[in-house]
Amino acid sequence: ACTAMRAAAGTRDDVDIMNELPTILVAYASKHGSTREVAEAVATGLRERGWAVEATPAADVDDVSRYAGAVLGTALYTGRAHPDARRLLKRHHAALAGMPFAVFAMGPRTSADEDIAGARRQIDAALAHRPDVHPVAVAVFGGVIDPSGLHFPFSRMPASDARDWDAIRAFADEVADAFAPAADRRAG
């Protein structure tokens, strides 16, 4: 009723305006939740830059073509991207190839250069299976280890959180900047 009253009066509110904005998908594949937390931080950063954003588990994504762009976040386990991220890339690679697309991966135990480089090789290998998809931004962030939720021998590892929240915010800004020109072309 309120929407009808606003429409009749010729006024618009923030919800009406947000519904007209191009929407960015932030899909994430997470086993223990840290990738989801980073995806939510990326989504928040994009919203702060003026984007409408939907953050959702990668397994729940049925159609990417309705979005102005997509960000895929994946955890890395034993040298591979999370299965839900791999499935999303396999099912939707043609649509992703035609829109702004960015990827981030979580997984190294530390933010040391050699750990980040090793994880970057893993995400590059996953993307190599879909040569038509060319991300405008790729980032690797340190992961989280909570031994209380792991099985032996991993339950003996020390707890750690190697996420760099400043780098995560910078990635969200990079994605917002990279997506803007392409979204303008798609809208026009």
Side-chain angles (χ1 to χ4, degrees):
C2 290
T3 303
M5 288 174 26
R6 283 192 305 272
T11 61
R12 296 163 32 119
D13 66 5
D14 291 344
V15 172
D16 294 331
I17 293 167
M18 290 301 286
N19 286 335
E20 293 176 9
L21 292 175
T23 301
I24 301 298
L25 169 67
V26 177
Y28 54 89
S30 185
K31 187 172 183 180
H32 298 287
S34 64
T35 305
R36 176 187 44 78
E37 291 171 352
V38 170
E40 289 170 354
V42 170
T44 297
L46 291 169
R47 285 185 193 104
E48 289 171 354
R49 295 286 302 270
W51 290 97
V53 180
E54 287 182 25
T56 189
D60 294 345
V61 175
D62 293 325
D63 178 22
V64 300
S65 64
R66 65 187 180 95
Y67 297 100
V71 178
L72 176 60
T74 183
L76 297 173
Y77 297 104
T78 61
R80 298 189 70 189
H82 189 288
D84 292 344
R86 294 193 316 264
R87 278 190 289 273
L88 185 140
L89 282 171
K90 182 178 180 179
R91 283 193 317 258
H92 302 291
H93 67 93
L96 293 170
M99 69 175 59
F101 176 62
V103 177
F104 72 86
M106 306 285 300
R109 292 184 315 142
T110 73
S111 293
D113 289 343
E114 62 273 9
D115 288 344
I116 296 293
R120 176 61 194 251
R121 285 190 298 274
Q122 293 169 359
I123 199 65
D124 288 344
L127 291 168
H129 292 285
R130 302 292 165 213
D132 55 336
V133 176
H134 302 283
V136 297
V138 178
V140 176
F141 306 115
V144 175
I145 297 175
D146 178 3
S148 67
L150 302 174
H151 298 289
F152 183 82
F154 303 108
S155 60
R156 302 274 186 178
M157 297 174 76
S160 67
D161 185 342
R163 294 175 291 186
D164 179 341
W165 294 103
D166 289 336
I168 291 163
R169 281 186 285 281
F171 174 73
D173 288 342
E174 177 185 1
V175 169
D177 291 342
F179 280 20
D184 291 343
R185 286 192 305 275
R186 285 173 63 103

